[in-house]
Amino acid sequence: VVLIVIGSTLVPIAIQRSRKHANPALDLSLFRVRTYWTSILVITLFGCGFLAGFLSTTLYVQDLWGYSVVETGLALSPGPVIATVVGVFSGKIAEHVGHRIPVVIGVTAMACSYLYLYVTASTEAHYLARFLPATLLLGVGLGLSLANLTGMALSEMTPSRFAIANATSRTVQQMANSFGIAVVVTLLGSGFVSVADYRRGWFWVITMFAGGAVATITLFPLRPSNVDAADIG
């Protein structure tokens, strides 16, 4: 609690310093570009669900299904494999339809993946029926969304702003990852964890991904404004 209070106190100080410093670590002018601040919001929601979801499913198959560490790794592996394959083509898809559509489909698929786990969760292990469909769907969603989230954030940045814009978005995602894990660990609690506890954790993850899809649909512009942060004030 003390660290949270101290950190919260330092946030406005850091923002004020960034406003006045000649070469700030956080360039606030980036957030005047709608495509960027919208992307940061989506990245934040995505990050709050991303690693939190992986952690909860890992603990689920280990603690409730009794899988070993090796078995858990093998059980989860189809998702990243599918994500890699889909990711190869997601950039080409974005070239034709833009980043918005792949991101919406991707985060929606990820939300549906955890919704499937939420509905089918049981202490009885059944990999093919209760886990494999979810991890395959997760892989498709991850492959469509992860790279395109970065593409969305940088879509209206000039090359001179790529580094700072990308670094800022990555930092936000890492912070969101940490926050999401903290929330899920709190929801799962300590000691024996039941199916109901995992459903609470997955509900958080589902909400974050669904929120990311809604934010992208409602806030991300259909057409670029052709205004770069370097051109603003």
Side-chain angles (χ1 to χ4, degrees):
V1 173
V2 172
L3 292 175
I4 291 173
V5 172
I6 294 174
S8 300
T9 303
L10 291 175
V11 168
I13 297 175
I15 292 175
Q16 184 65 20
R17 177 175 173 80
S18 296
R19 291 177 59 187
K20 295 183 177 181
H21 199 279
N23 188 25
L26 178 61
D27 189 348
L28 298 178
S29 68
L30 296 172
F31 294 92
R32 299 177 189 174
V33 181
R34 182 177 174 182
T35 53
Y36 190 75
W37 68 257
T38 301
S39 300
I40 290 297
L41 173 60
V42 178
I43 287 171
T44 300
L45 294 169
F46 179 91
C48 284
F50 181 44
L51 292 186
F54 273 112
L55 175 64
S56 59
T57 51
T58 299
L59 296 176
Y60 170 66
V61 296
Q62 285 185 329
D63 294 345
L64 289 190
W65 286 8
Y67 279 26
S68 67
V69 174
V70 174
E71 289 172 332
T72 300
L74 292 174
L76 292 170
S77 62
V81 171
I82 294 295
T84 302
V85 174
V86 175
V88 172
F89 300 99
S90 65
K92 296 179 180 179
I93 295 173
E95 289 178 1
H96 294 285
V97 301
H99 300 289
R100 187 172 183 266
I101 294 176
V103 167
V104 171
I105 295 175
V107 293
T108 300
M110 295 176 78
C112 291
S113 168
Y114 288 101
L115 179 60
Y116 185 87
L117 289 174
Y118 183 96
V119 172
T120 63
S122 171
T123 55
E124 182 182 352
H126 199 314
Y127 179 74
L128 293 179
R130 292 177 178 160
F131 196 85
L132 183 60
T135 193
L136 293 177
L137 188 58
L138 181 67
V140 172
L142 185 59
L144 286 172
S145 59
L146 191 58
N148 281 301
L149 281 170
T150 302
M152 258 176 39
L154 302 180
S155 60
E156 293 189 21
M157 295 292 153
T158 57
S160 63
R161 291 296 182 98
F162 275 6
I164 184 64
N166 188 45
T168 301
S169 65
R170 296 288 184 180
T171 301
V172 169
Q173 183 175 347
Q174 293 298 325
M175 294 172 63
N177 285 339
S178 300
F179 180 76
I181 288 175
V183 170
V184 164
V185 169
T186 302
L187 292 173
L188 292 180
S190 58
F192 176 76
V193 182
S194 66
V195 171
D197 295 322
Y198 282 105
R199 284 197 173 109
R200 281 198 296 270
W202 288 328
F203 181 79
W204 162 264
V205 175
I206 293 166
T207 302
M208 293 301 101
F209 287 135
V214 172
T216 305
I217 293 171
T218 58
L219 298 176
F220 194 81
L222 289 172
R223 296 179 180 84
S225 62
N226 296 321
V227 177
D228 179 71
D231 302 322
I232 302 177

